[in-house]
Amino acid sequence: MEDDPLYLLLQFPKGAGPLAEQEELLQGEKKKFLPPTSREDPKFEELQKALMEWVNAELLQEHIVVRSLEEDMFDGLILHHLFQKLAGIKLDVEEIALTAVSQRRKLEAVLEATNRSLQGDDKQPVKWSVDAIFNKDLLATLHLLVALAKHFQPSLPLPTNVQVEVITLESTKSGLKSEKSVEQLTEGSTDKDQPSKDVFDELFGLAPEKVKAVKEAITAFINQKMEGLGLSVQDLDTQLADGVILLLLIGQLEGFFLHLKEFYLTPTSPAEMMHNVTLALELLKSEGLLDHPVSAEAIINKDSKSILRVLYSLFLKHKMKESTDRMPRGPPN
């Protein structure tokens, strides 16, 4: 039954889906479609949300906002800015393309540069094309964004083992032919993909009663360091989630001067919080302070373990430094 057009009628609403576009297919041409059950799959929706938040966070300073991966990526504008930001290179393409011809030309140039950068990452054939992206093929767009994330930001937490059912429609001499298949968008997790356990995994797992004492010690440390700014912390989980106090604390301890234009002092949206926390984590990584991977999403979602990992890295460095500085020194030789 799966190869029969009747199957398609059962999968799509009346007047929608592949049967509505049968006349557009030339003989021998194939086209993929996502049935509603695939579009509504929770993991598929979660992947789109994670990728959209990532793109918006990357392009926040350029005031570019993506509201739909299916509708907003086709003309090359967002992919142009995203690739330049990730790769750190400037592409010689027109900034604004208004006609379909110029949009397609721009998209082609952007994808050519992108494919060169991604060359060798995966032995599998490229799963996107100029035609597919320009025609708003959601699957192709997702494959491209996942590949960019894996290459330029491998630590980005994406849902694992996302796969969806796809219907491939083909126009043949004998009529319409359909075939079901499963498309793999992200890989399944393996033991080697999982970060090794650290002291906080053991603390939360084996001695949860001691978490409060650790939080109190770190809170006292933060308040001592932030006193000069007239700030204090009572709840680490809620007050650190938007990244503001975390950035100010890093600035105080590490001697960074952060201009107010570099972050949001009063963030009002998840995208602004993501920008702040991502910047804070990048600063900590640049100083070699993060021994265990921490995602910006975990901080924003008030994950206690992740927040303590970040704060403990600062606490350990500067508390130890204070203790060393206070050690009695022997008489000069």
Side-chain angles (χ1 to χ4, degrees):
M1 179 178 174
E2 292 177 10
D3 290 336
D4 193 286
L6 178 60
Y7 174 75
L8 302 179
L9 286 173
L10 298 174
Q11 288 289 314
F12 290 89
K14 185 178 180 182
L19 288 179
E21 302 189 27
Q22 180 180 0
E23 294 179 2
E24 298 179 14
L25 289 178
L26 301 174
Q27 188 171 312
E29 186 180 358
K30 291 183 178 181
K31 193 169 183 179
K32 289 181 179 180
F33 295 91
L34 279 167
T37 50
S38 294
R39 287 180 175 273
E40 294 163 7
D41 181 272
K43 291 195 73 172
F44 184 68
E45 291 179 338
E46 184 187 353
L47 176 63
Q48 291 182 77
K49 181 174 181 288
L51 288 170
M52 190 155 59
E53 288 179 350
W54 171 60
V55 173
N56 283 332
E58 290 292 335
L59 300 180
L60 191 63
Q61 290 182 314
E62 299 183 49
H63 306 290
I64 293 175
V65 179
V66 177
R67 291 184 171 84
S68 168
L69 296 180
E70 190 166 17
E71 296 294 330
D72 296 347
M73 311 294 289
F74 78 98
D75 61 0
L77 174 65
I78 291 169
L79 288 172
H80 171 206
H81 285 268
L82 179 64
F83 179 73
Q84 286 192 151
K85 170 73 165 49
L86 295 173
I89 60 176
K90 186 169 179 60
L91 297 180
D92 185 20
V93 296
E94 52 194 315
E95 183 62 34
I96 304 295
L98 298 177
T99 67
V101 172
S102 60
Q103 288 172 345
R104 186 184 176 87
R105 184 172 59 242
K106 176 175 182 171
L107 176 64
E108 190 171 359
V110 172
L111 287 184
E112 184 180 341
T114 301
N115 291 341
R116 281 199 303 269
S117 287
L118 298 177
Q119 196 171 13
D121 277 9
D122 200 332
K123 296 179 181 179
Q124 299 297 320
V126 173
K127 297 178 180 178
W128 57 87
S129 66
V130 175
D131 282 339
I133 302 294
F134 193 71
N135 289 320
K136 302 181 181 179
D137 184 319
L138 180 57
L139 280 174
T141 301
L142 292 177
H143 278 304
L144 173 59
L145 292 175
V146 168
L148 285 169
K150 284 173 61 179
H151 182 85
F152 290 105
Q153 197 171 337
S155 61
L156 183 71
L158 295 176
T160 59
N161 199 31
V162 178
Q163 50 186 352
V164 289
E165 182 183 276
V166 177
I167 295 174
T168 302
L169 189 67
E170 182 180 6
S171 178
T172 67
K173 288 182 180 180
S174 57
L176 193 66
K177 181 182 178 183
S178 67
E179 184 177 39
K180 277 203 312 181
S181 61
V182 174
E183 191 106 357
Q184 191 82 28
L185 288 161
T186 62
E187 299 169 353
S189 60
T190 61
D191 291 340
K192 66 178 182 179
D193 295 327
Q194 304 300 321
S196 57
K197 290 191 174 184
D198 68 350
V199 63
F200 285 102
D201 288 314
E202 296 180 8
L203 180 67
F204 276 74
L206 303 177
E209 71 281 356
K210 295 182 180 179
V211 172
K212 183 180 179 182
V214 173
K215 283 188 173 183
E216 288 174 353
I218 291 179
T219 300
F221 169 74
I222 293 173
N223 287 334
Q224 177 194 353
K225 300 301 178 184
M226 301 295 281
E227 189 177 2
L229 297 178
L231 297 172
S232 65
V233 174
Q234 281 77 45
D235 188 323
L236 295 179
D237 296 348
T238 57
Q239 289 182 262
L240 274 291
D242 63 7
V244 176
I245 288 179
L246 184 55
L247 281 170
L248 295 175
L249 178 65
I250 293 171
Q252 285 285 95
L253 295 174
E254 298 295 319
F256 292 131
F257 173 74
L258 292 172
H259 197 283
L260 290 177
K261 290 182 179 179
E262 295 183 63
F263 69 104
Y264 295 92
L265 191 59
T266 55
T268 57
S269 69
E272 292 178 355
M273 294 167 64
M274 174 72 75
H275 172 82
N276 285 353
V277 176
T278 300
L279 175 59
L281 294 178
E282 287 175 354
L283 290 173
L284 290 173
K285 287 176 186 174
S286 69
E287 295 298 302
L289 292 177
L290 281 182
D291 295 329
H292 198 92
V294 175
S295 72
E297 288 83 358
I299 303 294
I300 293 169
N301 290 327
K302 304 174 185 177
D303 179 69
S304 292
K305 196 187 297 184
S306 298
I307 291 170
L308 283 177
R309 280 191 179 110
V310 170
L311 295 175
Y312 185 70
S313 68
L314 289 165
F315 175 84
L316 190 62
K317 175 181 177 181
H318 293 278
K319 199 69 176 174
M320 290 293 289
K321 183 175 181 296
E322 288 176 5
S323 300
T324 303
D325 290 344
R326 287 198 299 265
M327 287 178 64
R329 302 182 186 278
N333 294 327

